[in-house]
Amino acid sequence: MSPTLISQQQKLLPQKFNAIKEKFESKRVILCQNQDEDILKCYQTLLHNYSQWINHTALVVLSNRTYQDDKNVFYFENEIFEKFKKTAAVEIVISSDRVVLLGAKQLQINDITNYTVAATLLHSALHTQPLNTSVLYNAYKHSQKRLFLFDYDGTLTPIVSNPADAQPTPVLLQYLDALCKDPSNTVWIISGRDQIFLDTHLAKIAGLGLSAEHGSFMKKAGLNDWVDMLKDADMSWKNVAMKIFEKYTKCNPGTVIEQKKSSITWHYRNANNTEEAEQQSELCHAELIQIPGVDILVGKMNLEVRSLLVNKGEVVKRIKQKQNWDFIMCAGDDQTDEDMFRVLQDDRQAFCVSVGPLSKKTSAKYCVEHSQDVVNIIGQLVHTTTSTL
Ligand SMILES: O=P(O)(O)OC[C@H]1O[C@H](O[C@H]2O[C@H](CO)[C@@H](O)[C@H](O)[C@H]2O)[C@H](O)[C@@H](O)[C@@H]1O
């Protein structure tokens, strides 16, 4: 149904100004730079398909003709909207040529007339936003009890073909060391890697807490011994999983098994025929899920099996309960990191950062594109202690 045209005078009534101001203060605003029926329909589809946004979003349409507002849609002439700009934190701008802008980033809605697809894109854009580093640095500066939870592969180092080559750079080590040296900071690496890998490459940083194999082992900063979180657990599933992985390795040359103490990873990134190995990984997955007591993780060109009793989310719960943190940064790129993000989802102090494209389905509120962005952020934070940001 088309909106009803109203007079400009009605728009300017002070009560109306205040009412809208109040509404904007608690809503995330999508700004549409011109009156466009398709965008309206796309927004209505968003509210229909994702009803959680009904009370939390507003669509502001800039138009030189004014229409009757409804619960979620407000029409403004350009200069009148200027008055609301301070109270309305505009998150998404749909430009006249229908390109969606999120901060400095662009999200292309290829076909805005496919309302369901366009609404899904808007939903993901509302859910996850590019990390505003100024906000992060400011929160860091004004906090005293800070917690950092970093995944390793794909988050602190880029994904490479050979797992052994994914070593921390000297710059990363220097930044992590400086971060740990600030007594206000507690820093953990929560990884799928085993103890040997983490000890070899990261243990030289005395202030770093380490969690290996998705939470199976934990070592607090400054301690030498690892705590085995699964020491009493039944690990008989390992032999069964190993046999399945061996079978698939045999018929997929180039694939390798990474055997860890309490988890096993089958890597098919370097398979002679990657496409076939990818298909085979689905069959392998179907066999693995028959094993009781384990979780199967679909990683980046790998399949992992680990005990159901541990996951990165449980690690975060355990670490988090120790203090009243007033700043938390948690970064990860993989499916296993989503467990950490879910645990922190309702925590107002937490900056959960997914490494990857904005369109990625994630429970993290923020995203950055590359692992190098995470490293640069740590570098900036380290400098925050000595300079002003
Ligand atoms: O939890 P993480 O620290 O992210 O570890 C997850 C797995 O990462 C490693 O495999 C992945 O990274 C490799 C290096 O870039 C890459 O070659 C591989 O294809 C990826 O799947 C690691 O080898 C696994 O043990 C970790 O569980």
Side-chain angles (χ1 to χ4, degrees):
M1 200 177 68
S2 296
T4 322
L5 261 172
I6 57 162
S7 77
Q8 185 65 50
Q9 244 181 350
Q10 238 176 307
K11 274 290 306 162
L12 289 167
L13 283 178
Q15 304 102 298
K16 180 166 178 177
F17 184 98
N18 289 335
I20 294 175
K21 184 170 165 269
E22 236 167 66
K23 278 183 183 158
F24 277 168
E25 275 164 352
S26 56
K27 282 189 178 175
R28 302 176 64 183
V29 177
I30 302 169
L31 179 67
C32 176
Q33 286 177 333
N34 61 335
Q35 159 66 15
D36 183 327
E37 269 301 302
D38 286 328
I39 289 168
L40 257 183
K41 285 196 181 124
C42 163
Y43 180 64
Q44 278 152 3
T45 311
L46 172 85
L47 300 185
H48 181 266
N49 293 1
Y50 304 92
S51 56
Q52 68 266 40
W53 295 122
I54 293 177
N55 294 322
H56 300 288
T57 57
L59 178 72
V60 169
V61 181
L62 297 183
S63 163
N64 48 16
R65 306 180 79 193
T66 47
Y67 301 88
Q68 184 70 57
D69 296 334
D70 75 11
K71 186 170 179 280
N72 286 82
V73 186
F74 302 92
Y75 296 87
F76 286 97
E77 282 184 2
N78 238 320
E79 62 272 29
I80 296 173
F81 182 67
E82 288 298 311
K83 296 186 184 181
F84 291 101
K85 260 200 169 158
K86 277 198 189 106
T87 43
V90 175
E91 291 195 23
I92 297 180
V93 179
I94 305 177
S95 66
S96 311
D97 53 5
R98 295 174 170 192
V99 169
V100 176
L101 307 163
L102 304 138
K105 307 261 159 110
Q106 286 194 1
L107 181 78
Q108 189 75 50
I109 297 188
N110 291 326
D111 181 7
I112 203 128
T113 54
N114 185 338
Y115 306 128
T116 307
V117 173
T120 307
L121 269 168
L122 278 184
H123 166 68
S124 65
L126 280 163
H127 184 74
T128 308
Q129 326 153 27
L131 177 68
N132 182 335
T133 46
S134 316
V135 174
L136 179 92
Y137 300 150
N138 199 41
Y140 180 87
K141 241 169 60 178
H142 293 98
S143 51
Q144 275 86 41
K145 274 256 141 264
R146 312 181 192 110
L147 176 63
F148 291 88
L149 307 159
F150 295 119
D151 162 55
Y152 182 75
D153 286 284
T155 299
L156 295 178
T157 53
I159 294 291
V160 292
S161 334
N162 176 9
D165 293 339
Q167 296 183 13
T169 60
V171 170
L172 170 66
L173 292 174
Q174 185 202 321
Y175 288 168
L176 285 175
D177 192 36
L179 198 68
C180 293
K181 280 193 172 129
D182 184 328
S184 298
N185 297 344
T186 298
V187 188
W188 281 83
I189 304 291
I190 303 175
S191 174
R193 293 282 185 158
D194 64 10
Q195 298 154 280
I196 299 174
F197 182 91
L198 297 181
D199 268 340
T200 309
H201 298 291
L202 297 163
K204 54 193 112 165
I205 303 173
L208 207 53
L210 299 175
S211 164
E213 298 194 37
H214 308 287
S216 306
F217 302 92
M218 288 177 79
K219 184 163 79 167
K220 276 197 195 151
L223 300 184
N224 285 325
D225 296 324
W226 287 88
V227 178
D228 182 349
M229 311 305 287
L230 290 173
K231 70 175 177 324
D232 302 318
D234 171 15
M235 300 298 255
S236 55
W237 58 264
K238 273 189 79 182
N239 285 336
V240 187
M242 196 60 194
K243 284 206 176 95
I244 299 175
F245 278 145
E246 277 165 356
K247 183 174 90 185
Y248 282 90
T249 308
K250 242 184 227 159
C251 31
N252 290 282
T255 66
V256 289
I257 300 171
E258 182 185 358
Q259 226 202 116
K260 302 180 257 187
K261 269 197 189 158
S262 66
S263 55
I264 313 174
T265 312
W266 180 54
H267 292 274
Y268 53 87
R269 182 176 296 278
N270 299 320
N272 293 2
N273 185 337
T274 339
E275 220 169 278
E276 198 177 309
E278 197 139 26
Q279 283 164 11
Q280 294 263 310
S281 78
E282 286 170 26
L283 301 175
C284 182
H285 187 278
E287 283 193 49
L288 293 167
I289 52 171
Q290 309 295 328
I291 309 173
V294 298
D295 228 355
I296 321 298
L297 314 163
V298 182
K300 294 194 162 164
M301 312 279 275
N302 77 28
L303 267 189
E304 290 201 60
V305 189
R306 62 146 161 73
S307 164
L308 252 184
L309 300 171
V310 287
N311 67 60
K312 290 188 180 186
E314 291 305 314
V315 179
V316 170
K317 278 189 206 160
R318 202 166 292 129
I319 298 170
K320 195 178 163 251
Q321 71 193 9
K322 300 267 188 287
Q323 298 272 357
N324 273 331
W325 310 100
D326 57 1
F327 174 99
I328 300 176
M329 179 179 175
C330 175
D333 71 314
D334 221 338
Q335 188 212 339
T336 58
D337 305 317
E338 293 297 319
D339 290 326
M340 304 201 276
F341 300 148
R342 275 190 287 274
V343 167
L344 297 169
Q345 210 160 26
D346 297 324
D347 203 311
R348 291 170 69 90
Q349 271 76 34
F351 289 84
C352 287
V353 185
S354 157
V355 182
L358 186 66
S359 50
K360 186 166 113 185
K361 201 165 172 270
T362 171
S363 296
K365 176 112 193 275
Y366 304 102
C367 70
V368 295
E369 268 175 60
H370 306 291
S371 57
Q372 189 54 46
D373 297 323
V374 179
V375 177
N376 294 344
I377 287 168
I378 302 173
Q380 283 293 336
L381 292 177
V382 165
H383 289 110
T384 309
T385 46
T386 48
S387 64
T388 43
L389 277 161

